[in-house]
Amino acid sequence: MNVFAALFRMEWRLFRRDLFLWLAQIFLLLYYTGAGWYYYRYPDGTFDAGGMFKLMSYWLSMGVVMIGLLAGVLSARREHVAHFDEIMSSLPGDALRPFAKLLAWATVVLIFFLSASVATLGLQWLENSSLLRYWSDTVSYLAVFWVLPQLSAGILGYVLGMLVTSNWIYPLILLVWLTLTPYNGWLEWFRLPHALTLWLNQGEIVYPVYISYEGLAVNAVDFWRHIFLLLLSLSLLAVSLLIRRLRDRTWKERIGLITYAVLFFVGMLALVVKVNPYPEGENVALLGGVDMRYYETMQQRSPLGSSYARLPSFSVQQVVLDVEHQGYRMTYTAELGIQTRGDVDWLEFTLYHGYTVQEAKIGEQSLPWEQEGDLLRIKWPGEKKEGSIVLRVEGSPGSGGVLKPQAIYLPSGFPWYPVPGKWRVAESIYTQPAFGYQIPSLFLNLELEEPTYFNISVSSPLKIYSNLSETGANAFRGTASGPTLLAGKLVEARVNGFRIVAPPDQINRVPAVLAPLQESIKRAGGRLGTSTYPIPSNIFVTPLYSAQGGLNFPFRVYHDELHLDEGIFRIYYGREGDYLAQSRDILPAFYWYNRYRESDGYAPFFLAAVYEQIYDKTSLSSYVDQPMPTTYQKAVQEILLLEREGKRDEAKEKLSAWYKSLTKAATGGLEQ
Amino acid sequence: MIIQIERVKKAFKKKTALEDVTLTLKPGIFGLLGPNGAGKTTLMRILATIFRPDRGSITADGIDWTRDAHRVRTMLGYLPQDFGVFRNVTAREVLVYIGTLKGVARDQLKHQVNAVLDAVNLTTHADKKVGTFSGGMRRRLGIAQALLGDPKLIVIDEPTAGLDPEERVRFRLLLRRLAQEERVVILSTHIVGDVEAVCDQLAVIKKGKAHLFASPEELAKVADGQIWRWVGDIRDYALLEEKYRIVSSVSRGSTMEARILSDTQPSEAVEPVAPTLEEGYLAWVGE
Amino acid sequence: MGRRMTFPPLWLDLRTMGWNFSFPLVAHLGIVLYLYLGQGGRVGMLTEKTILGTIGLWSPLLITFWIVGLYQDWFESDGKEALLALPYKSWAFGIGRVLRTTALYGFFVWGITRLLFLFSSDRGVSQMWWTILAASILFFAALAFFTVALTRRLVFTYMLVAVFSLGEWVRVYSTSLRVGYSVPSDRTVAFNPFQAASPLPGANPLRVALILFIVSLLLLFLGQLFVNRREYLLK
């Protein structure tokens, strides 16, 4: 023990006195805090601590890996450079030295970790950031994304420095470094599996946009991904020690070393087999793409406008949901109080195809059921007029919501629970968007026509919020046209009669956007000649952008809820009110998708574009003479022509008439 | 303690460094001589447990070098030819470090470190960083570290290279003192004068094989009858150099005095003389 | 009488670099392959933005290997004492060799960039871009020279240059990310070693090139001060 302590003390002393090693780390922290502070303070003086932290961390975790690799090389070559290696190998404790070096390196890493934590939290404290209240998240993020990679990189560098004695170790280090960063995609050129690049990547897997909604949650997968490299480097260390030293070892030591190497390799392999480095639930792009292709196929089978939808032949009196949140999946039992109208053979529900029904019962009697895509059909015992069906359901919301260990977003207009009736869940439109406008929302609004009584309890480690009134811990009850469940880094506030649920650093910004929004809604309604809407009383800041396939408006409107995308508060800091009040956002959200419409999704875009041309003076004139990809060409060109000829009043009237005819015809024949 | 080296062989990829070495080392100072590349350093490294012999064994008091490398290391003081220390640490820190590794008890460590520092005349520089040391100081620090832990076996490779004459004398005295305490001190050197001054017995390694001599005189005797003294005109010296192997020469004005190594009497103008150790060594190696 | 050496032969310089010489060449080959195979070069669809972004980021950085290679024997070899005793002219062996190597490297990068544009339908690298690229390459050469002379250790040189580059990249990147809605132009510091890859919005490119040039001269001069002090190099 004495020997080990002496070895450690010397190795630590040598690290401690390496001025340039510390200089490099200090530089890194200075850049991090200095540039972060300088560029992430917004014009209004507020500081985007989360955005700064995550973006800077993306790069800086690469920096710590580089420092680790080079410090490892330094440590491996130290004796040789000092011509001290011969003496050291003639002294007792030679075999222990690598471990003393490891511990000394761990100490360096620990100090860097503490300094980085102090720098990060200190900056947040100085800037009075609300992220400080989640300081433990920040610290664990640092531990996983900075400390573990730096530790592993130090070990890897040591191994490389031991095995490669010439100076071309430095280009090699550069390659190894690239392999450990998010830029390791080049590995796949050599036909190495994608999963390997994910495992080796020590930075963020996706481009790190800080999502205030989820906060800095470090999930188990991130942890394992970084542990993987630690195991890998430890096993490589053991192997390289074996290669170099096996001959000079006693049997006991040899067996020890072999066991040690095998153990780490087995641990690593077990990890690879057991853990998916990039769970589907995190991969927004994948989920969105899968859904888009799915609904495209669905649309080929029953084209838009072919009256796919069918009203239910029964009514649901009440819905009791008992939800269990299990990481990226959920299970629930749904008890549906059914009352039939007339003769009913099968009950038709819409349930997103990511959910599977595992059991259907009425009382003790099992019911046959069928699930085909988003359509769920349950055989109704003909003799009954009413009864309670109990369904056991398991699944995840795909790109229609968010379900992660650290966050939940299940909007009320999305069929994550069985919605009575046969409805189209989403439309898939991804040809050229009209006039360069955004592609419309994928998911249609499936709120219930008639408000229904819901009673929901959720078992989850997260604190859940809902549009229903809270009756206990994560228990909600009330009559609504659908249930929304939210969880994440959220807080709740009541301002001017509105109930706002939002991430802590955004909650104060929400009230400011409401006035311009309300004004814009009112103005648009008047101009379109239709009834106007008040802003719903529940305002939720949600991850709309990452929830619904990345194809969305900055908000969604439900009967008693307004969902605002959290991203706009980051991107349009200080100007989010102006951004939201734009006609191109208001019109589709409030005057199109506020209810179920089974329609050609281009309509709201043409509407918004022409509206802006007439009222907001954008210029679409050049489109008058161009062919357009849809059936609206004639109407649009007529209005634009009137506008060009200076007959603005006529153009406005025509627009209003067009809107009315459009909304009448485009609702899947259910208007009557 | 008597160290028995039995038929030790060591080969590297292409080259056999030690062919077959058998030696018995008794307490006292043992000199190891030999031309460059003869295998001296390899033998020293084997004795210092850095290399393991491919064949053969080294034992002392029941300790086997191959099996009990760790035990050997605790009783070993080693100064390699190529010695350096981390630049960023002080002499005292290095010595405390090495002393601890050698298992010197904590309560004795400070005392021992001071003692060896004093022995090599480094006390005043003890707390300076090694990076600031001159070559000779660094060498002395190397000697100091080898003395730590009261080693039973001291292996020293080229110890006096880089020492000034004063330090060299001091070092020889130190070695003498060490040898009085029932230690085996193995000295590998190019400097025959060192061997002459301190060694009790010696061996010469040539082409991977060692030959033991009971004393320096015995090695000198190898050249008995082969050394001739010549004194003559400086102009004739050039001719002499062409024809014979000159071991040494001294110029005295217009005359020259030279010592010639030759089996037979080179000329009438020479007289036989008693060989020195260096001449014995040259005769042995030149065979 | 020994002739006082002004410059060592170029080929000797390149040979003593060893792997440090080949690596940037290999890396550029990798860049060409990447752009040709992975970024549409094969079908002539390589965009100007991609070429400039890739070359502008990596080429200046990779010169570090050449400059460090030039000096590795001087700072990290057992024979450095003998080298330091050679009758060389300090300025030639310092700044002179750096500039000569940089010029050679610049020529090489120019060739590679022209080559890449053969795979692109875009034509036209502006004179300004070439100026900025040259300034960036000179800057990193000067930085590597200064750092290697200061630290006298390869590993520290790589560490400091890597950390500096990463930090600067983050700074430049976060500026370009924010500009447009949040960062007023007075928040733009017109120093940007990656101007060729990621131009700073709101900064005059000529000014950026000029600043890079001046800073390079400063670094070269400071590095030379270290090289002039043989005592320091020997430490």
Side-chain angles (χ1 to χ4, degrees), chain A residues 17 82-84 86-87 248, chain B residues 45 52 78 84 88 93 145:
Chain A
R17 292 187 185 164
H83 300 276
F84 198 41
E86 224 175 294
I87 287 273
D248 289 341
Chain B
R45 284 181 176 165
R52 273 165 41 127
Y78 176 50
N88 262 341
E93 283 168 346
Q145 64 81 25

Side-chain angles (χ1 to χ4, degrees), chain C:
Chain C
M1 278 285 97
R3 191 164 56 90
R4 194 162 154 89
M5 212 188 310
T6 37
F7 271 107
L10 181 63
W11 65 268
L12 197 66
D13 259 2
L14 301 185
R15 272 191 65 115
T16 50
M17 281 184 203
W19 229 90
N20 280 299
F21 173 71
S22 332
F23 181 70
L25 305 184
V26 174
H28 274 91
L29 183 72
I31 289 173
V32 171
L33 286 179
Y34 164 71
L35 293 177
Y36 182 75
L37 297 174
Q39 296 292 317
R42 199 166 29 172
V43 286
M45 294 289 282
L46 197 54
T47 63
E48 181 189 326
K49 194 166 174 275
T50 316
I51 300 176
L52 302 190
T54 315
I55 290 287
L57 171 63
W58 287 105
S59 296
L61 273 179
L62 285 167
I63 198 179
T64 310
F65 285 93
W66 274 21
I67 301 298
V68 168
L70 273 185
Y71 289 95
Q72 61 180 356
D73 282 348
W74 292 69
F75 300 134
E76 257 188 32
S77 79
D78 293 334
K80 72 176 180 183
E81 275 181 56
L83 285 171
L84 290 172
L86 288 175
Y88 61 83
K89 273 188 187 146
S90 291
W91 288 88
F93 268 70
I95 287 182
R97 289 201 307 157
V98 172
L99 291 181
R100 182 172 70 175
T101 314
T102 308
L104 185 72
Y105 185 83
F107 187 71
F108 168 68
V109 172
W110 175 80
I112 290 282
T113 313
R114 302 299 313 189
L115 172 76
L116 285 170
F117 269 94
L118 295 181
F119 311 134
S120 171
S121 53
D122 292 333
R123 286 284 178 277
V125 178
S126 63
Q127 288 302 319
M128 182 48 81
W129 191 81
W130 287 122
T131 313
I132 288 166
L133 183 71
S136 303
I137 290 177
L138 180 68
F139 171 76
F140 275 98
L143 179 71
F145 172 61
F146 169 73
T147 320
V148 81
L150 172 75
T151 64
R152 306 179 308 266
R153 291 287 293 281
L154 268 57
V155 62
F156 287 131
T157 306
Y158 288 122
M159 198 184 272
L160 292 179
V161 171
V163 165
F164 169 82
S165 313
L166 202 70
E168 275 303 291
W169 179 251
V170 174
R171 186 180 69 78
V172 168
Y173 186 83
S174 43
T175 318
S176 63
L177 202 73
R178 289 286 147 192
V179 159
Y181 34 88
S182 292
V183 176
S185 56
D186 65 297
R187 286 276 183 92
T188 308
V189 179
F191 173 73
N192 178 12
F194 297 109
Q195 177 79 7
S198 178
L200 276 175
N204 177 358
L206 191 65
R207 192 164 153 226
V208 174
L210 198 67
I211 289 177
L212 275 180
F213 186 68
I214 291 168
V215 174
S216 311
L217 290 187
L218 195 69
L219 285 174
L220 283 173
F221 177 73
L222 289 175
Q224 186 62 47
L225 290 186
F226 285 113
V227 169
N228 288 351
R229 291 179 53 202
R230 298 189 189 199
E231 220 176 288
Y232 179 78
L233 300 187
L234 199 57
K235 251 201 221 169

Side-chain angles (χ1 to χ4, degrees), chain A residues 210-375:
Chain A
Y210 173 68
I211 299 171
S212 343
Y213 186 85
E214 293 175 19
L216 277 171
V218 178
N219 49 46
V221 176
D222 290 328
F223 177 71
W224 289 123
R225 198 152 52 84
H226 293 87
I227 287 289
F228 167 79
L229 187 71
L230 187 63
L231 288 175
L232 181 71
S233 17
L234 284 174
S235 34
L236 289 177
L237 176 69
V239 168
S240 59
L241 290 178
L242 272 177
I243 292 172
R244 273 174 63 105
R245 305 271 175 86
L246 203 54
R247 272 180 0 130
D248 289 341
R249 299 279 180 206
T250 62
W251 268 109
K252 225 166 85 186
E253 284 172 328
R254 282 184 216 184
I255 292 170
L257 263 180
I258 293 172
T259 320
Y260 167 72
V262 168
L263 216 67
F264 283 119
F265 265 118
V266 168
M268 197 183 72
L269 288 177
L271 249 188
V272 170
V273 172
K274 198 83 189 155
V275 182
N276 174 4
Y278 193 20
E280 224 174 59
E282 298 282 349
N283 195 339
V284 175
L286 176 82
L287 291 175
V290 167
D291 271 340
M292 195 175 256
R293 281 188 295 279
Y294 178 84
Y295 286 109
E296 200 194 13
T297 323
M298 293 297 285
Q299 252 163 247
Q300 279 163 4
R301 266 189 250 160
S302 54
L304 292 171
S306 65
S307 277
Y308 172 88
R310 194 152 50 225
L311 284 166
S313 52
F314 58 94
S315 63
V316 176
Q317 302 301 306
Q318 64 160 17
V319 179
V320 180
L321 294 171
D322 192 357
V323 182
E324 198 179 332
H325 171 211
Q326 300 150 329
Y328 296 101
R329 299 188 78 75
M330 61 195 268
T331 55
Y332 60 83
T333 44
E335 196 183 323
L336 310 166
I338 307 281
Q339 205 164 33
T340 57
R341 305 188 196 108
D343 268 356
V344 177
D345 191 12
W346 290 86
L347 304 178
E348 283 185 328
F349 292 92
T350 303
L351 178 66
Y352 176 72
H353 59 272
Y355 291 93
T356 28
V357 176
Q358 295 175 323
E359 194 178 33
K361 272 186 174 174
I362 184 160
E364 286 304 303
Q365 182 193 349
S366 286
L367 296 176
W369 79 90
E370 284 172 3
Q371 251 187 304
E372 193 194 340
D374 297 328
L375 179 65

